[in-house]
Amino acid sequence: MHDPNCLFCKIIAGQIPSKKVYEDEGIFAFHDIHPWAPVHFLMLPKLHLPSMAQVTMEHAGLLGRMLALAPQLALEQGCNPYPAGGFRVMVNTGRDGGQEVHHLHIHVIGGPRPWLKG
Ligand code: 5GP
Ligand code: ZN
């Protein structure tokens, strides 16, 4: 599903430019415009889900694939190997969760410290 009013649906559709990290039939990833750290990209399902709060068992395969892809993309984007390196995976959900853009996304944040935040 594509929501014509959703910023991230527009990025996935190429209507708003982004620095793409990865794309397949169900997943899209691009660099965050305000990175917290040397590596900071977002992984999204192409399906418009507003947040983690709407996730059900129906989405288990899709979310599992996203999480399973994160380590490979993190290394490709410049995160150092575990355990000295590593990365942070974050999913802000709802207002109390600090979510600003209401299309489910996984932040992958890493690279050598210091970081700007976090
Ligand atoms: P949230 O707070 O919803 O978890 O995170 C939204 C993230 O999207 C923020 O880190 C913000 O910097 C990023 N962001 C917002 N608008 C844009 C945009 O137009 N392009 C890109 N690349 N990132 C964006
Ligand atoms: Zn969307």
Side-chain angles (χ1 to χ4, degrees):
M1 190 180 85
H2 175 95
D3 178 343
N5 299 313
C6 170
L7 173 66
F8 284 177
C9 280
K10 288 180 188 165
I11 287 179
I12 292 166
Q15 293 162 0
I16 292 175
S18 69
K19 284 167 62 184
K20 187 160 87 175
V21 165
Y22 176 86
E23 181 173 14
D24 67 24
E25 68 283 0
I27 300 170
F28 195 91
F30 56 92
H31 291 280
D32 196 293
I33 206 165
H34 293 129
W36 286 21
V39 177
H40 187 171
F41 61 89
L42 306 175
M43 302 179 72
L44 287 60
K46 287 188 171 175
L47 176 74
H48 178 87
L49 286 168
S51 82
M52 189 67 108
Q54 285 73 36
V55 167
T56 65
M57 284 309 290
E58 178 191 338
H59 309 111
L62 176 61
L63 264 70
R65 287 209 322 111
M66 290 173 70
L67 279 178
L69 189 60
Q72 176 199 323
L73 297 186
L75 287 175
E76 284 175 8
Q77 293 306 314
C79 292
N80 288 317
Y82 175 92
F87 52 87
R88 177 176 297 179
V89 170
M90 189 172 81
V91 185
N92 298 328
T93 305
R95 193 184 300 164
D96 286 349
Q99 184 180 8
E100 290 175 0
V101 180
H102 290 263
H103 180 129
L104 173 60
H105 52 280
I106 299 176
H107 294 255
V108 180
I109 303 171
R113 287 181 179 268
W115 295 355
L116 196 62
K117 285 203 269 182

